Amino acid sequence: MEMVSGSHERAGFFARSWWWLKAMPKKLAAVVVEVAKNAKKLGRDDPRIIIHSLKVGLALSLVSLFHYFQPLYNSFGVSAMWAVMTVVVVFEFSVGATIGKGFNRGVATLLAGALGVGAHHLARTSGTIGEPILLGLFVFLQAAATTFIRFFPKIKARYDYGLLIFILTFCLVSVSGFRDDEILELAQKRLSTMLIGASVCVIVSIFVCPVWAGKELHNKVSQNMEKLGNFLEGFGDEYFRTSKDEESDGDMSVLQDYKSVLNSKNTEETWANFARWEPGHGQFIYRHPWKQYLKVATLTRECAYQIEALNGHLNSGIQAPAEIRGKIQATCTKMSLECGKALKELALAIKTMTLPSSAETHVANSKTAAKNLKSMLKSGLWEDTDLLEVMPVATVVSTLIDVVLCVEKIAESALELASLAHFKNIDPTVTTDKQHSDQLSTAKQLTKTDCPNIVITVHVKKQEIE
Amino acid sequence: MEMVSGSHERAGFFARSWWWLKAMPKKLAAVVVEVAKNAKKLGRDDPRIIIHSLKVGLALSLVSLFHYFQPLYNSFGVSAMWAVMTVVVVFEFSVGATIGKGFNRGVATLLAGALGVGAHHLARTSGTIGEPILLGLFVFLQAAATTFIRFFPKIKARYDYGLLIFILTFCLVSVSGFRDDEILELAQKRLSTMLIGASVCVIVSIFVCPVWAGKELHNKVSQNMEKLGNFLEGFGDEYFRTSKDEESDGDMSVLQDYKSVLNSKNTEETWANFARWEPGHGQFIYRHPWKQYLKVATLTRECAYQIEALNGHLNSGIQAPAEIRGKIQATCTKMSLECGKALKELALAIKTMTLPSSAETHVANSKTAAKNLKSMLKSGLWEDTDLLEVMPVATVVSTLIDVVLCVEKIAESALELASLAHFKNIDPTVTTDKQHSDQLSTAKQLTKTDCPNIVITVHVKKQEIE
């Protein structure tokens, strides 16, 4: 009986297994198709990812040559693997990140190597028993202190990787020296292979379709502004749209693009940190005012919070009576539209690095519209209406007025950026640089006449260093 | 003449240098004092940073023992440095991050090592000329493909480090195998030292004052709620404060704490990713509903955007006439206060993992207050006032009403969390779990009666795996 039930069970097990095996190719195919779809989308959304992947492959293949090439192998030995390691770890998506990591790795290895040799010598003088104790103490103190330093926010942002390598190298050198007296020769070999690895990384990352962190930040800030501009341009029509003309629902997705701006802080700060490592490239000189981009970005984000509040009212629809709607619609739409135009103009100006030709006019227009709206409200337009009905509209109006103030601040900050980064003036009829800086109290300290000297100094300095 | 000017120049140079040297100790002292102050502040703000630093020192000293200990050295050889390397790279602040990195490193090394050996054998069969070409091709293809995979968002969040190590190990094994036939023995040694390093990390990180990523996320979500609660509790008094009683300016900083919630997304997602690696600890079982925390956090952040809008009105002061102010003050303050109390109650409930006893009452109270306010507005209270003057107040009222809705959503989501994570019921007089789930349409799918089975299954599964 038991045997029968056992064979039954076994038969059931085999049947299930068979079914599972039969279903597997289908499931596997579905997974593969799904992954392929995702990969295709990823590659299409940002083709630079594919290029970057090929670049990593190229750099690694180049470095692997050291192993194939007999003469090089003889002079570097097993240390050559440090070149491979360096490439894998240092090669990053953007040029700035790659240079930053390479610099961190090089300097940290040099310093920690020297300190490690010193610690090793010091320990050796203290006899057979004292040596391991002293070395253990050194390792402990050094690791604890460096780990603590890694938590300082400013240091973490720029030198985190360097400090990691500092701990690593110090430990390896001081401890491996315990066994080996050829430590200096080893260190020299390791450092030179590391240098080769880092150079290959930097060269490939700069000369094969480079991704500049600075340019990335530049575009990001401009795009975020444009997203807000798109929302504000479309907001008026969308908000005052009656249920009759519902058909224009198609481009609602453009209006929702602003959502990504709300959480953009980390990305922008990361790009700005990387950008500072980069040499001058394209329109960007070394020491381009990256910090000012972050200021503009912060104001843009604050504006996005306001827009988030406006967006909440978009979906609930307008509830005010038609007569009021008619009266404020034109002014509100104009206010929002002009704000949107100003932001898009500023975004374009930043993108092309030219002075904005009409952003200030748009800001002025939106301010005038806000003023008109205010006087309209003052004239007791809504006196015989139910305040509860009017309240959502009043909120939208009030938020829109705040948005106007916000956009004005963004414009000021963007023009300060234009002045600091010497944006070109393409249209001779519009305000000149001098006039701009006069208009801007914030930019007064750095007028066009002051800056070139600074920039020239920087350029000379850079050449000296190189 | 030239000599004289030369000696003058030299004298000037020496004078400047002397001055610089004399000033240096003072400057240096100032810098040291500044750094020490920052370090003290950092250590006081989060003492776990100091503990973590000491833990890293401890783990590294332990691993360094392998080098001092002759018998171990003989069996592991130079590979022992991989243990040091593993500790430096794998040891992270939280247990989850350490386990995650250790797991990634181990599995990636194993897989890539096996593939590397395979590639090496395949290449060897193709003759002296074909070998380097084929190996170069393998390295290129593998590095490019793996780098591309690293960009998938979901994979990046959990396996980024593993893929990096995969590239590294594959290259090192396949290329170094080119020179050395003892590759399998080497791989075995390296893997075992790596295992020792990773074990030391995990053991130290779990058993010496552990920092659990899960608990961190748990506290963070609770704290963020509390910050919003503090703002809302204080908002009413602060907003309706007349210029006479200006003296209560002291605790404005508590009101501004909410700002940190606006940009909390990245931190929370990182903690949640780490938390998933952690075994059960304290009140948290393995597979605690970490995702639900993120849902609560997202709603909290949305509420923070609303509060950012409210905060803008805080500084501008109330401009409405005294009579209106008097009429709405009580209701508005109550609405805000009740919302704040509800949030703080929920925050406390999450923190202590107990069912909130009165959060729903507070939410209901705030909803009643909102209703009262609405009917007050409907009664034509403000008919003979200037709408422009009333508008800011109307905006605040409207935003507060939105906040009430937001808080209600947070409460729902938090109660769903309470149901998923089986928060304890400490007060027998308040609503039971069953009632809770009935009240919550969102939590209906997962009532208390369904859950235990799931949890038990999970527990059994865990034991099986272990």
Side-chain angles (χ1 to χ4, degrees):
Chain A
M1 185 64 199
E2 212 172 57
M3 245 180 76
V4 175
S5 105
S7 75
H8 264 287
E9 252 174 35
R10 230 173 296 143
F13 172 76
F14 282 122
R16 276 200 306 279
S17 305
W18 177 237
W19 176 84
W20 190 79
L21 271 175
K22 242 173 72 185
M24 210 176 70
K26 246 187 196 170
K27 273 188 195 169
L28 213 69
V31 168
V32 167
V33 166
E34 183 64 29
V35 168
K37 246 187 218 166
N38 281 340
K40 209 173 161 187
K41 191 179 170 295
L42 196 70
R44 199 184 292 148
D45 285 354
D46 193 350
R48 293 174 310 170
I49 289 177
I50 298 172
I51 295 171
H52 173 71
S53 305
L54 297 177
K55 275 160 75 180
V56 173
L58 177 69
L60 266 178
S61 302
L62 279 179
V63 162
S64 296
L65 277 181
F66 291 118
H67 284 271
Y68 305 137
F69 221 10
Q70 201 66 29
L72 276 169
Y73 183 75
N74 284 342
S75 67
F76 287 114
V78 190
S79 297
M81 80 170 202
W82 288 95
V84 173
M85 216 178 242
T86 305
V87 169
V88 174
V89 179
V90 163
F91 207 114
E92 291 275 328
F93 190 59
S94 67
V95 177
T98 308
I99 293 178
K101 267 199 156 176
F103 175 85
N104 265 306
R105 193 178 175 97
V107 171
T109 306
L110 210 61
L111 285 180
L115 265 180
V117 170
H120 177 62
H121 271 278
L122 215 72
R124 176 149 289 185
T125 57
S126 63
T128 334
I129 304 163
E131 197 172 342
I133 298 173
L134 213 60
L135 271 183
L137 195 74
F138 282 151
V139 167
F140 179 82
L141 287 179
Q142 185 274 138
T146 313
T147 306
F148 184 74
I149 293 171
R150 284 178 75 190
F151 281 96
F152 284 87
K154 272 187 194 168
I155 290 175
K156 195 174 186 65
R158 294 201 80 186
Y159 305 111
D160 193 51
Y161 183 68
L163 290 171
L164 184 82
I165 295 297
F166 186 86
I167 304 179
L168 183 65
T169 310
F170 182 89
C171 290
L172 288 184
V173 169
S174 65
V175 164
S176 80
F178 196 74
R179 300 282 163 198
D180 196 347
D181 286 329
E182 302 159 324
I183 198 164
L184 275 178
E185 197 198 329
L186 196 77
Q188 181 256 325
K189 268 186 190 169
R190 197 163 288 179
L191 209 69
S192 48
T193 43
M194 204 174 273
L195 207 72
I196 290 172
S199 311
V200 168
C201 283
V202 171
I203 288 169
V204 170
S205 99
I206 290 183
F207 292 103
V208 185
C209 309
V211 176
W212 298 99
K215 199 165 186 194
E216 212 59 23
L217 174 67
H218 177 89
N219 290 343
K220 192 104 198 155
V221 169
S222 157
Q223 277 164 14
N224 281 352
M225 265 187 190
E226 201 184 339
K227 283 174 188 171
L228 300 196
N230 281 336
F231 179 92
L232 289 172
E233 270 194 355
F235 175 75
D237 289 338
E238 195 65 34
Y239 183 63
F240 290 103
R241 203 183 59 200
T242 52
S243 47
K244 286 176 250 164
D245 37 47
E246 201 81 55
E247 64 273 11
S248 71
D249 237 353
D251 57 347
M252 270 295 277
S253 64
V254 177
L255 292 190
Q256 297 302 310
D257 275 350
Y258 81 91
K259 290 256 182 202
S260 67
V261 183
L262 295 170
N263 289 310
S264 59
K265 193 178 180 231
N266 275 51
T267 324
E268 283 159 355
E269 279 177 359
T270 310
W271 286 128
N273 271 326
F274 291 157
R276 281 195 262 165
W277 290 108
E278 289 174 353
H281 55 279
Q283 306 145 299
F284 308 103
I285 54 164
Y286 180 65
R287 295 205 189 171
H288 193 72
W290 303 120
K291 275 195 177 174
Q292 185 64 26
Y293 280 94
L294 289 185
K295 279 185 198 164
V296 177
T298 305
L299 290 170
T300 309
R301 204 157 41 247
E302 270 164 26
C303 190
Y305 296 145
Q306 306 265 15
I307 284 178
E308 171 80 356
L310 281 182
N311 188 52
H313 291 273
L314 207 53
N315 305 322
S316 59
I318 185 165
Q319 291 132 5
E323 45 158 347
I324 291 174
R325 208 180 129 251
K327 274 184 189 161
I328 64 158
Q329 176 169 4
T331 327
C332 270
T333 308
K334 167 136 206 204
M335 210 156 91
S336 170
L337 190 71
E338 290 288 341
C339 277
K341 273 187 185 163
L343 280 181
K344 282 177 91 170
E345 168 86 28
L346 289 169
L348 188 73
I350 289 182
K351 197 175 181 187
T352 55
M353 294 189 85
T354 51
L355 285 174
S357 53
S358 55
E360 283 177 321
T361 325
H362 289 304
V363 171
N365 285 348
S366 69
K367 279 169 85 176
T368 316
K371 219 172 157 187
N372 289 343
L373 198 64
K374 276 182 188 172
S375 62
M376 228 195 264
L377 299 177
K378 219 170 199 160
S379 65
L381 168 72
W382 298 348
E383 250 172 28
D384 47 347
T385 45
D386 182 359
L387 194 65
L388 188 63
E389 261 189 352
V390 173
M391 210 170 63
V393 182
T395 308
V396 166
V397 169
S398 163
T399 311
L400 267 179
I401 291 173
D402 288 344
V403 166
V404 172
L405 291 175
C406 224
V407 169
E408 202 187 349
K409 270 191 212 160
I410 294 176
E412 269 178 23
S413 185
L415 288 175
E416 194 181 340
L417 173 63
S419 154
L420 285 170
H422 307 290
F423 284 8
K424 274 177 236 118
N425 191 348
I426 40 158
D427 186 353
T429 60
V430 297
T431 49
T432 64
D433 242 29
K434 184 79 185 77
Q435 281 169 303
H436 259 300
S437 38
D438 285 349
Q439 285 159 358
L440 294 168
S441 60
T442 39
K444 257 178 195 158
Q445 289 84 349
L446 272 166
T447 55
K448 181 87 175 173
T449 45
D450 292 338
C451 282
N453 301 326
I454 300 172
V455 175
I456 288 163
T457 325
V458 169
H459 265 147
V460 170
K461 259 196 183 162
K462 214 188 108 202
Q463 279 163 2
E464 275 170 13
I465 292 165
E466 283 169 355
Chain B
M1 187 61 201
E2 212 173 56
M3 246 179 78
V4 174
S5 105
S7 75
H8 263 288
E9 253 175 34
R10 233 172 294 142
F13 172 75
F14 281 122
R16 275 199 307 278
S17 306
W18 177 238
W19 175 85
W20 190 79
L21 271 175
K22 241 173 72 182
M24 210 176 71
K26 247 187 197 170
K27 274 187 198 169
L28 213 70
V31 168
V32 167
V33 167
E34 183 64 30
V35 169
K37 245 188 220 167
N38 282 341
K40 209 173 161 187
K41 192 178 168 299
L42 195 69
R44 200 184 291 147
D45 285 354
D46 193 351
R48 294 174 309 172
I49 289 177
I50 298 173
I51 295 170
H52 173 71
S53 305
L54 296 178
K55 275 160 75 181
V56 173
L58 177 69
L60 266 177
S61 302
L62 279 179
V63 162
S64 297
L65 278 180
F66 290 119
H67 285 269
Y68 305 138
F69 221 11
Q70 202 67 30
L72 276 170
Y73 184 75
N74 283 343
S75 67
F76 288 116
V78 192
S79 297
M81 80 170 201
W82 287 94
V84 173
M85 218 178 240
T86 304
V87 170
V88 174
V89 179
V90 164
F91 208 116
E92 291 274 329
F93 189 59
S94 68
V95 176
T98 307
I99 293 179
K101 266 198 155 177
F103 176 85
N104 266 304
R105 193 179 174 96
V107 171
T109 306
L110 210 61
L111 285 180
L115 265 181
V117 170
H120 177 63
H121 272 277
L122 215 72
R124 177 149 288 183
T125 56
S126 63
T128 332
I129 303 164
E131 196 172 342
I133 298 173
L134 213 60
L135 271 182
L137 194 73
F138 283 150
V139 166
F140 179 83
L141 287 179
Q142 186 273 139
T146 314
T147 306
F148 183 75
I149 292 171
R150 284 178 74 192
F151 281 95
F152 283 87
K154 273 188 193 168
I155 290 175
K156 194 176 185 64
R158 297 200 78 186
Y159 306 110
D160 192 52
Y161 183 68
L163 290 171
L164 184 82
I165 295 298
F166 187 86
I167 303 178
L168 183 65
T169 310
F170 182 88
C171 290
L172 287 185
V173 168
S174 65
V175 165
S176 80
F178 196 74
R179 299 284 162 197
D180 197 346
D181 286 330
E182 302 158 323
I183 198 164
L184 275 177
E185 199 198 328
L186 196 76
Q188 181 256 325
K189 269 187 191 171
R190 198 163 288 180
L191 209 69
S192 48
T193 45
M194 205 174 271
L195 207 72
I196 291 171
S199 310
V200 168
C201 283
V202 171
I203 289 169
V204 170
S205 101
I206 290 184
F207 292 104
V208 185
C209 309
V211 176
W212 298 99
K215 200 169 184 189
E216 213 59 23
L217 173 67
H218 177 89
N219 290 342
K220 192 103 198 157
V221 169
S222 156
Q223 278 164 14
N224 282 352
M225 265 188 188
E226 201 185 339
K227 283 175 187 171
L228 300 195
N230 281 334
F231 179 93
L232 289 173
E233 270 194 356
F235 176 75
D237 290 338
E238 195 64 35
Y239 183 63
F240 288 105
R241 204 182 59 201
T242 51
S243 47
K244 287 176 248 166
D245 36 46
E246 202 81 57
E247 63 273 12
S248 71
D249 236 353
D251 57 347
M252 269 299 275
S253 64
V254 177
L255 292 190
Q256 297 303 309
D257 275 350
Y258 81 91
K259 291 254 181 204
S260 68
V261 182
L262 295 170
N263 290 308
S264 59
K265 193 175 180 235
N266 275 51
T267 324
E268 284 159 354
E269 278 176 358
T270 311
W271 286 128
N273 271 326
F274 292 157
R276 280 195 263 166
W277 290 108
E278 290 175 353
H281 55 278
Q283 306 145 297
F284 309 102
I285 54 164
Y286 180 66
R287 297 206 188 170
H288 194 71
W290 303 121
K291 276 194 177 174
Q292 185 64 25
Y293 281 93
L294 289 185
K295 279 185 197 165
V296 177
T298 304
L299 289 170
T300 310
R301 206 159 37 249
E302 270 164 26
C303 189
Y305 296 145
Q306 306 264 16
I307 284 179
E308 172 81 357
L310 281 181
N311 187 53
H313 291 273
L314 207 54
N315 306 322
S316 59
I318 184 164
Q319 291 132 7
E323 45 159 349
I324 291 174
R325 207 180 130 250
K327 274 182 191 162
I328 64 158
Q329 178 167 2
T331 329
C332 271
T333 308
K334 168 138 204 199
M335 208 157 91
S336 170
L337 191 70
E338 290 289 340
C339 278
K341 274 187 183 164
L343 280 180
K344 282 177 88 170
E345 168 87 26
L346 289 169
L348 188 73
I350 290 182
K351 199 177 179 184
T352 56
M353 296 190 84
T354 51
L355 285 174
S357 53
S358 55
E360 284 179 319
T361 325
H362 290 303
V363 171
N365 286 347
S366 68
K367 279 170 85 175
T368 316
K371 220 172 156 188
N372 289 344
L373 198 63
K374 276 183 188 171
S375 63
M376 229 196 264
L377 298 176
K378 221 170 196 161
S379 65
L381 169 73
W382 299 348
E383 248 174 29
D384 49 346
T385 45
D386 180 0
L387 193 65
L388 187 63
E389 263 189 349
V390 174
M391 211 171 62
V393 183
T395 309
V396 166
V397 169
S398 163
T399 312
L400 268 179
I401 291 172
D402 287 344
V403 167
V404 171
L405 292 175
C406 225
V407 169
E408 202 187 350
K409 269 192 214 160
I410 294 176
E412 269 177 22
S413 184
L415 287 176
E416 193 182 341
L417 173 64
S419 154
L420 285 171
H422 306 291
F423 284 8
K424 275 176 235 119
N425 191 348
I426 41 161
D427 187 352
T429 60
V430 297
T431 49
T432 65
D433 243 28
K434 183 79 188 76
Q435 281 169 304
H436 259 300
S437 38
D438 284 350
Q439 285 159 1
L440 293 167
S441 61
T442 40
K444 257 179 196 158
Q445 290 83 348
L446 273 165
T447 57
K448 182 84 177 175
T449 44
D450 292 337
C451 283
N453 300 327
I454 298 172
V455 175
I456 288 163
T457 326
V458 169
H459 265 146
V460 170
K461 260 198 183 161
K462 216 189 106 201
Q463 278 162 5
E464 275 170 13
I465 292 164
E466 281 168 359

